[in-house]
Amino acid sequence: MGQSASQAAAFYKEVGSSGKLWTCKDAGGIPAPINSNGQRAMPFWSSLSRVQKIIDTVSDYRKFEPYELTWSVFVTDWAPGLKKDGLLVGINWSGIYATGYDLDVSDVIANTSYHAKKFT
């Protein structure tokens, strides 16, 4: 299993178990950089320590602060907007360039919800 695949598996398991996820924001909002396929993706992480590591080690993210939200708020409030705006969901980006899988919001919801059922 590659790095991005293991990060995705950890995301589904951890968010499914805790019911929480994190992104980061600054005064200008939440980042949504363009990926190598020319699509915008908004990053989310499955733990505070994961997002904090990116903020601490990736220069483009140093001005951001962690932002926590519940899974239910993500699904009901954030997901429709992400879909409407054509944004992908970056999950557990890692490494010196903060990269990983960028997935359709519907896939993230389906995969995380599947794992959540294992913990309820």
Side-chain angles (χ1 to χ4, degrees), residues 19-62:
K20 295 180 183 178
L21 65 161
W22 285 258
T23 189
C24 57
K25 69 177 193 169
D26 66 4
I30 297 169
I34 297 174
N35 67 19
S36 61
N37 295 327
Q39 298 174 287
R40 289 204 176 271
M42 186 175 286
F44 292 89
W45 291 269
S46 58
S47 70
L48 176 59
S49 63
R50 288 178 187 276
V51 67
Q52 192 63 57
K53 184 173 183 178
I54 294 298
I55 291 168
D56 292 344
T57 60
V58 179
S59 62
D60 288 345
Y61 288 83
R62 288 207 173 104

Side-chain angles (χ1 to χ4, degrees), residues 46-120:
S46 58
S47 70
L48 176 59
S49 63
R50 288 178 187 276
V51 67
Q52 192 63 57
K53 184 173 183 178
I54 294 298
I55 291 168
D56 292 344
T57 60
V58 179
S59 62
D60 288 345
Y61 288 83
R62 288 207 173 104
K63 64 182 180 173
F64 292 98
E65 295 186 11
Y67 183 79
E68 178 183 338
L69 58 153
T70 64
W71 178 245
S72 61
V73 166
F74 176 82
V75 171
T76 60
D77 296 347
W78 289 59
L82 291 166
K83 209 172 205 29
K84 180 176 113 353
D85 294 341
L87 293 172
L88 297 175
V89 177
I91 54 174
N92 275 355
W93 287 353
S94 62
I96 60 171
Y97 300 110
T99 59
Y101 283 156
D102 300 332
L103 303 172
D104 182 87
V105 68
S106 299
D107 293 334
V108 174
I109 290 171
N111 291 334
T112 304
S113 296
Y114 171 79
H115 282 80
K117 291 175 185 169
K118 292 182 174 181
F119 298 102
T120 57

